[in-house]
Amino acid sequence: MTATDKSPLTKGYQPVTWNFKLLANDMLGGFGGMGEGMSVQIAPDGRRIIWLAHESAPKNFTAVDVSDPRKPKVVCQTDLPHANMRSNSLETCGNLMAVAYQTSKKDLQPAGFELFDISKPENPKSISLFDCSGPHSRGVHQLWFCDGEYVHCASGSRDFVPTNPGDDQFYRCVDVRNPSKPVEVGCWWMPGTRQGDNVMPPSRHPIDKGFRAHNTNVYPQRPDRCYLAYIDGGMFVLDISDKTNPKKVSQWTNSPPYSGFMHTVVPLFDRGLMLVTDESTENNCKDWPKLIWVLDAREETNLVPISTCPLPDHTIYAQAGRFGAHNIHENVPLPTAWKSDQIVLGTFFNGGLRAYDIANPYQPKEVGIFMPPAPPGAPTGTIQINDVFVDERAIVYAVDRHIGGLYTLEMDF
């Protein structure tokens, strides 16, 4: 029996691995429900700290010393102001960290993002809060902060009234060069999603997750472009050469016939390719399939899908929890991040962490699996691997969405 044949509901606590070696697992003090914010800092004293966002209250973020990835050590864990919010996303740049705050209902506070001085990891100091609260806003779901100058985020605002309540988050660019006084520079939303647009609102998908922004990636190879995933709206390439006036360059969507929730866009510049993920958001494969797509992006105004990363028969994974694509390692443009345009690492909830060789982009090949059984007390009875980050040492970090905390791994491919 091969690794791909094993059920994610296998009893016991020995992980299924192929070309990954488990170094350590830290349950993070019993608060191991992790979101999709992972960033590695080299602290002023030389320690390597990974900062982790939590999936939900009561915790805000956790800092773990991973200087020795075999012996992770929690050095800081903070609480949210109240239970009706989450800090699902964060990024660090040097000794500055941005943390996204999204509330469970509209018109609650704090909603936006907070900047912290993390020069002393045991004692992060708040610098400022960029307020995005309002009667139609839940704040910031995701943010991108890699250059020390601008936070690109998926956010609501006080003056944005969506045509549909589910379309409440859009692209915003915020200047944080003076971190004590963040200032919005520009914004963009999918036409038809704001009241007053002279465009008809988009038709809803059968599984309606909203036409709203998710990932907002910007890379130094093309600082004039934002690679914007827009959930049920597909993805957009934006021209942000004038940050005060972002403009659409192109759009690609697979839905319909697929079921929406486009999550992440990662361009592979030297190869003229683009990786796009859809997130599985329904238990028991009700929204199957959710895939990692490979696009030919040589002509950015005409993006063409050429393959998907292969997955096993989904039927055994439909027994409990989510199964399908979510996050991939995003080649974050920081010195502490590993970069590759040949290997793709992605998270698949109860399908664990999987790696693909895309040397031939028309025929991606699976080259690695890490699929731990459910941690004790897992509510779905399965692992739910939620996010992945690889540092420049090629150490892999993966987190569980519900309770399992942080896994540190080596890869052998």
Side-chain angles (χ1 to χ4, degrees):
M1 180 177 287
T2 67
T4 53
D5 295 326
K6 299 274 184 86
S7 168
L9 305 181
T10 301
K11 301 292 185 181
Y13 296 97
Q14 293 301 313
V16 174
T17 62
W18 173 40
N19 288 337
F20 284 106
K21 178 183 178 182
L22 177 63
L23 301 178
N25 173 220
D26 194 308
M27 302 283 283
L28 305 178
F31 297 97
M34 310 313 295
E36 49 189 356
M38 308 175 71
S39 189
V40 170
Q41 169 209 21
I42 304 299
D45 60 10
R47 288 178 298 165
R48 180 178 299 265
I49 307 294
I50 188 166
W51 295 85
L52 306 170
H54 284 258
E55 170 69 17
S56 58
K59 296 303 177 184
N60 187 353
F61 53 80
T62 294
V64 183
D65 184 343
V66 289
S67 303
D68 181 351
R70 294 169 179 80
K71 297 178 180 178
K73 179 184 177 182
V74 173
V75 298
C76 174
Q77 193 168 70
T78 64
D79 292 309
L80 290 167
H82 58 80
N84 294 312
M85 61 181 295
R86 61 191 295 210
S87 55
N88 176 67
S89 175
L90 61 76
E91 293 280 4
T92 68
C93 185
N95 294 320
L96 193 61
M97 179 168 69
V99 181
Y101 293 149
Q102 177 176 291
T103 54
S104 59
K105 300 178 182 178
K106 297 175 182 180
D107 212 16
L108 296 179
Q109 293 180 332
F113 66 82
E114 190 167 10
L115 295 174
F116 291 88
D117 177 345
I118 55 171
S119 56
K120 296 180 180 179
E122 284 84 357
N123 189 27
K125 296 287 190 180
S126 177
I127 300 171
S128 62
L129 174 70
F130 184 72
D131 180 31
C132 302
S133 64
H136 304 280
S137 175
R138 295 174 295 143
V140 175
H141 180 73
Q142 181 274 350
L143 56 78
W144 180 267
F145 174 54
C146 299
D147 62 1
E149 297 187 351
Y150 296 95
V151 170
H152 306 270
C153 59
S155 174
S157 75
R158 181 163 296 278
D159 61 354
F160 186 92
V161 184
T163 52
N164 182 287
D167 303 344
D168 59 333
Q169 291 168 328
F170 57 101
Y171 168 68
R172 302 178 73 182
C173 178
V174 182
D175 185 341
V176 296
R177 286 175 289 186
N178 179 351
S180 65
K181 294 182 179 180
V183 178
E184 181 177 303
V185 177
C187 63
W188 184 91
W189 59 90
M190 181 177 175
T193 60
R194 183 176 186 173
Q195 287 189 17
D197 287 353
N198 60 354
V199 176
M200 287 293 292
S203 299
R204 315 312 291 185
H205 292 333
I207 301 177
D208 185 357
K209 298 296 183 177
F211 290 79
R212 54 192 172 92
H214 200 278
N215 274 31
T216 54
N217 296 16
V218 178
Y219 293 86
Q221 295 95 323
R222 288 300 305 268
D224 60 341
R225 293 291 185 265
C226 175
Y227 298 92
L228 175 64
Y230 221 82
I231 302 188
D232 285 359
M235 57 79 60
F236 295 87
V237 179
L238 297 184
D239 180 347
I240 58 168
S241 53
D242 177 2
K243 291 183 174 60
T244 66
N245 186 28
K247 297 179 180 178
K248 172 186 166 182
V249 175
S250 61
Q251 178 187 13
W252 178 75
T253 185
N254 55 23
S255 303
Y258 292 85
S259 59
F261 218 108
M262 205 158 279
H263 187 280
T264 304
V265 183
V266 177
L268 304 178
F269 296 99
D270 291 344
R271 300 189 63 195
L273 299 173
M274 190 177 289
L275 305 171
V276 180
T277 76
D278 301 324
E279 180 183 356
S280 171
T281 61
E282 300 291 319
N283 288 340
N284 309 110
C285 291
K286 292 178 181 177
D287 56 357
W288 175 262
K290 294 292 186 174
L291 302 166
I292 299 174
W293 298 76
V294 182
L295 275 56
D296 185 326
R298 290 174 293 172
E299 174 49 68
E300 66 175 350
T301 62
N302 187 32
L303 304 172
V304 179
I306 57 175
S307 64
T308 60
C309 293
L311 284 174
D313 185 344
H314 68 283
T315 53
I316 60 171
Y317 296 87
Q319 297 176 46
R322 299 183 185 184
F323 173 63
H326 186 206
N327 279 307
I328 53 177
H329 177 69
E330 297 175 59
N331 290 336
V332 178
L334 292 173
T336 53
W338 180 77
K339 286 92 174 174
S340 177
D341 60 9
Q342 303 291 319
I343 297 293
V344 180
L345 287 92
T347 59
F348 292 87
F349 296 110
N350 68 18
L353 173 70
R354 293 167 183 262
Y356 300 93
D357 183 336
I358 58 166
N360 179 349
Y362 300 98
Q363 292 183 314
K365 295 180 180 179
E366 191 170 68
V367 293
I369 301 171
F370 172 69
M371 196 172 68
T380 62
T382 67
I383 194 68
Q384 294 282 273
I385 295 294
N386 206 32
D387 198 8
V388 58
F389 182 88
V390 187
D391 72 20
E392 85 283 8
R393 305 174 299 175
I395 298 298
V396 181
Y397 307 91
V399 290
D400 179 49
R401 183 170 180 262
H402 285 151
I403 199 169
L406 174 67
Y407 298 83
T408 59
L409 307 120
E410 289 179 341
M411 51 185 177
D412 185 23
F413 40 79

